[in-house]
Amino acid sequence: MRNLLHDMNPAVKFLAVTAAMLALAIFFNPWTPLLFFISVVVLQLLFSQINWKLWSLFMLPFVLGAFGYLWTTIVFAAETGGTVIWSSFGFDVTDKQWALALSLSFRVLAFSSLSLLFALTTDPVRFVMSLMQQLKLSPKLAYGVLVGYQFLPVLKDEFFQIQQAHRLRGAATEKYWWQRLLNIRRIIIPMLAGAVRKAERSAFAMEARGFTGEARTEFYRPVHTGRLDIVMILVLLAVLAGSCAGGVMLSDL
């Protein structure tokens, strides 16, 4: 029960999440994205084993961004008319400005929570394999993305190794963040050179193992679709329909 979102076919989940985002963009009232955001959090509580500390850490920038949308829209919105509901420091906030600000802020929360639901419940390797099997993505592109993903931890380790080498040589003595930002090129250039060498070795290795980039009908790791995907899509559609209907009803009150 707690693994249903993790066990879904990643390609099907990707299509469902994309369709939900497109459908959510049609409704521009503040209540539909709020209800959908709450529903997505409940779905994750019921059908996933997400690390909530990690989820909160990833969600924090989006919450700050939503707050930024809220106050900047209220202060700088070009929306005119409506009833003044609050006035202070020479600013008059109308109900239309408030509704627009809430709509934009809740949209940020809804879209970001849905994106995190997909990212935190999807295995990248299964996702790439499902893109090839269900969505017929080119193997050249799919395996290229997969190899690049596998090299991310290696590049992270190299970044710290180059930093330590610079400190041992006395080259990394910057005290201020802007000095570190300007001197980041000393790290980027060797990392780019190392990435080119790794890409070349990976290309030779794949060619030596007979990889031609041609589409195949058999895979070493098959990813199937089943009743679980249908059930979860129906659940997501029910959540989306309920959020849209509830948002419209609350907007009419």
Side-chain angles (χ1 to χ4, degrees), residues 62-84:
F62 298 108
V63 173
L64 296 177
F67 179 75
Y69 266 116
L70 182 67
W71 77 267
T72 53
T73 304
I74 290 176
V75 174
F76 301 108
E79 186 76 26
T80 58
T83 304
V84 176

Side-chain angles (χ1 to χ4, degrees), residues 62-118:
F62 298 108
V63 173
L64 296 177
F67 179 75
Y69 266 116
L70 182 67
W71 77 267
T72 53
T73 304
I74 290 176
V75 174
F76 301 108
E79 186 76 26
T80 58
T83 304
V84 176
I85 58 176
W86 181 66
S87 180
S88 181
F89 301 105
F91 292 102
D92 293 331
V93 181
T94 65
D95 54 352
K96 289 186 177 181
Q97 288 177 326
W98 182 245
L100 178 62
L102 288 178
S103 178
L104 293 174
S105 300
F106 291 152
R107 275 173 173 243
V108 172
L109 296 179
F111 289 144
S112 58
S113 64
L114 196 56
S115 301
L116 286 179
L117 180 146
F118 177 81

Side-chain angles (χ1 to χ4, degrees), residues 24-47:
L24 197 62
I26 300 175
F27 296 87
F28 209 75
N29 62 76
W31 306 114
T32 296
L34 175 61
L35 293 176
F36 190 77
F37 168 69
I38 296 173
S39 301
V40 168
V41 174
V42 172
L43 281 179
Q44 293 176 119
L45 283 171
L46 296 176
F47 302 122

